[in-house]
Amino acid sequence: MLEVDDIAGQRAQVAEAGWPIKEDLTARPWGLCDFRILDPSGYYLRITDQNAG
């Protein structure tokens, strides 16, 4: 898991870099928002915001 301040900005950077987004921005029941990608080695990465709400 990677925590970032600007989840929408990070998602845009990842998409612009050509990384395939496995699961797009989603508000989670526990109060955070995240998106998920697979790296070239097949590792599943969750990028999430640092603050609930």
Side-chain angles (χ1 to χ4, degrees):
M1 173 180 68
L2 302 171
E3 292 181 340
V4 298
D5 288 325
D6 178 11
I7 191 73
Q10 288 298 309
R11 189 253 179 240
Q13 277 190 316
V14 167
E16 287 173 15
W19 285 73
I21 295 175
K22 187 75 171 165
E23 189 175 333
D24 213 345
L25 282 174
T26 302
R28 302 295 172 180
W30 50 89
L32 297 176
C33 185
D34 65 32
F35 66 97
R36 296 151 190 235
I37 62 174
L38 289 176
D39 79 358
S41 297
Y43 289 97
Y44 188 76
L45 302 173
R46 179 167 55 107
I47 296 90
T48 187
D49 57 1
Q50 292 183 345
N51 303 309

